[in-house]
Amino acid sequence: MSDQNPVFIPGPTNIPDRLRSAMQVQTRDHRAPDFVETFAPVLEDTKRVFGTTSGTVITFPASGTGGWEAAICNTLSPGDKVLVARYGMFSHRWIDLCQRHGLDVHVIECPWGAGAPADKFEAVLTEDKARDIKAVLVTHNETATGVKSDIAAVRAAMDAASHPAMMFVDCVSSLASMEFCMDDWGVDIAVSGSQKGFMLTTGMAILGVSPKALAAMETATLPRTFFDFSDMMAANASGGFPYTPPLQLIYGMRESLKMLFEEGLESVYARHFRLAEGVRRAVDGWGMKLVAESPALYSDTVSAIYVPDGFDSNALTDQAFNAYGVSFGIGLGEMNGKAFRIGHLGSLTDVMVLSGLATIEMAMADLDYPVELGSGVAAAQDYFRSHRAALVKTAA
Ligand SMILES: *Cc1c(COP(=O)(O)O)cnc(C)c1O
């Protein structure tokens, strides 16, 4: 497969040349003074992306899954009750992780395509008179279904029930691409990773942790060593790391933050909305349907799209890969065979998105889909022409 073609999977995302260069650094001593100068500002600047001033940014050499585990094992004890809704593969996997850690997981089952059910959370929390529920877990952007949940509404539900539980949010596929307001939404732990909105290689779990979550560490008894927040924070306080840091990723992260701030976070979010909207117009043009149940739930980073009855979405993504060398997201879990996904996050322009839409149309035509070549592309072109992008000028 040619690496001249972008990927349209919802992570890991395309790595811009500027970030590949930034990560091309020779081994350096992480105990030398210049590591401190590099690392401390990265932690500080990442707070802006989370939307927090009171929180602490903590990173681990891990993927997002490690971030889920870190959130749980630092703040909870075996048998603690947590409340979570299952509406896709990622919320499902977080539930599984909690169960394997011996937590008492109260699961609300939702259709795949729905978002976090704030009203049902409120009812369960109101019923929990003994205040046994210690945390509410929410996947902000369910990457399997292309659904964005309303975190402010979940916070409002918790407040309406006057419930003291912490709120943990998975923002792996939304942070640095869609607006995230950790402080305003009262998020206690936000979990993200390096390989999606930050446009880097996989390998760093990135967390925002509130003072309330830090206080919970004092009584939390789940075992933790590698993921211990206190070891990490003690070392970070002097600019260091409790073990060997992923040095190249930290250099990459420093440059990624520069790129995001140069473009401006508001512009980054606006670009993701525009790209997503172009894709949604194309889906309309094809006469297909999104998995997300309603427009308020549409994700700006990934669209999951049902293929017509009688077609297999895996055959479509295989055809795009085998015939044209372009990767699209397959349908995960319940969506396998029924829906494919277009990832539209990270380092992408209108022009790149048009190339993806044109490619998947060719694959559809090859497989005799009832879709006219150009129908989706034209709809996206119309949208992009009438919502012209501000061109991002990037420093060399
Ligand atoms: C990608 C992703 C993760 C993390 O997966 P890893 O493969 O462990 O990095 C978690 N949650 C969501 C919503 C994701 O999209």
Side-chain angles (χ1 to χ4, degrees), residues 63-65 68 90 93 139 141 143 170 172-173 195-196 202:
S63 75
T65 305
W68 285 340
F90 290 89
R93 285 176 47 203
T139 300
N141 190 68
T143 317
D170 171 335
V172 181
S173 63
Q195 79 273 27
K196 298 194 181 168
T202 313

Side-chain angles (χ1 to χ4, degrees), residues 34 89 134 228 268 301 316 391:
D34 65 342
M89 200 61 189
K134 298 292 179 241
D228 197 312
V268 170
T301 60
L316 181 65
L391 287 180

Side-chain angles (χ1 to χ4, degrees), residues 89-109:
M89 200 61 189
F90 290 89
S91 40
H92 167 71
R93 285 176 47 203
W94 205 5
I95 289 167
D96 175 52
L97 185 143
C98 290
Q99 287 168 336
R100 293 203 224 175
H101 276 75
L103 297 175
D104 176 7
V105 189
H106 182 126
V107 181
I108 300 176
E109 300 291 350

Side-chain angles (χ1 to χ4, degrees), residues 49-378:
V49 185
F50 277 113
T52 186
T53 51
S54 60
T56 303
V57 172
I58 300 181
T59 66
F60 294 102
S63 75
T65 305
W68 285 340
E69 181 160 337
I72 300 307
C73 68
N74 279 281
T75 55
L76 299 170
S77 303
D80 272 357
K81 196 162 184 176
V82 298
L83 174 63
V84 54
R86 175 165 25 224
Y87 41 82
M89 200 61 189
F90 290 89
S91 40
H92 167 71
R93 285 176 47 203
W94 205 5
I95 289 167
D96 175 52
L97 185 143
C98 290
Q99 287 168 336
R100 293 203 224 175
H101 276 75
L103 297 175
D104 176 7
V105 189
H106 182 126
V107 181
I108 300 176
E109 300 291 350
C110 302
W112 286 36
D119 51 343
K120 291 190 178 141
F121 282 152
E122 184 177 335
V124 173
L125 293 168
T126 305
E127 278 301 297
D128 179 35
K129 303 283 183 229
R131 301 311 193 214
D132 285 332
I133 296 169
K134 298 292 179 241
V136 178
L137 277 48
V138 191
T139 300
H140 181 211
N141 190 68
E142 179 44 85
T143 317
T145 57
V147 164
K148 170 191 64 178
S149 284
D150 185 345
I151 304 300
V154 175
R155 167 46 63 198
M158 294 176 70
D159 291 348
S162 304
H163 200 291
M166 295 177 283
M167 175 164 56
F168 299 166
V169 178
D170 171 335
C171 56
V172 181
S173 63
S174 54
L175 195 72
S177 310
M178 295 194 283
E179 185 176 47
F180 196 83
C181 310
M182 179 171 163
D183 286 356
D184 290 352
W185 296 341
V187 176
D188 291 298
I189 302 187
V191 177
S192 197
S194 50
Q195 79 273 27
K196 298 194 181 168
F198 289 110
M199 308 168 282
L200 296 166
T201 50
T202 313
M204 194 150 72
I206 305 166
L207 294 91
V209 184
S210 76
K212 183 171 162 181
L214 291 181
M217 286 193 306
E218 285 163 30
T219 51
T221 61
L222 274 173
R224 51 193 183 268
T225 308
F226 185 80
F227 287 126
D228 197 312
F229 284 170
S230 16
D231 290 351
M232 185 56 76
M233 287 168 65
N236 288 176
S238 55
F241 224 75
Y243 34 79
T244 315
L247 190 86
Q248 285 73 9
L249 262 170
I250 289 168
Y251 277 84
M253 189 68 185
R254 181 172 71 169
E255 197 66 20
S256 170
L257 290 162
K258 267 193 211 161
M259 284 181 75
L260 291 167
F261 297 151
E262 275 169 21
E263 185 176 353
L265 288 176
E266 291 306 319
S267 309
V268 170
Y269 305 148
R271 173 168 55 82
H272 281 84
F273 173 80
R274 201 184 58 253
L275 297 175
E277 197 54 31
V279 170
R280 293 190 279 258
R281 300 296 167 109
V283 172
D284 262 359
W286 297 327
M288 293 187 190
K289 291 269 169 288
L290 292 167
V291 174
E293 283 176 350
S294 63
L297 299 175
Y298 291 168
S299 163
D300 289 340
T301 60
V302 54
S303 296
I305 302 150
Y306 283 117
V307 295
D309 284 344
F311 290 84
D312 172 7
S313 63
N314 291 324
L316 181 65
T317 48
D318 282 351
Q319 178 67 12
F321 185 82
N322 293 329
Y324 306 107
V326 179
S327 289
F328 291 86
I330 62 164
L332 296 177
E334 280 185 20
M335 294 298 135
N336 193 254
K338 294 188 201 160
F340 71 102
R341 295 173 300 150
I342 301 181
H344 34 80
L345 76 160
S347 177
L348 279 182
T349 62
D350 298 359
V351 169
M352 290 162 87
V353 165
L354 288 171
S355 76
L357 297 172
T359 305
I360 202 75
E361 277 185 4
M362 290 195 286
M364 288 177 189
D366 295 345
L367 298 175
D368 297 322
Y369 273 56
V371 163
E372 200 178 318
L373 273 184
S375 56
V377 171

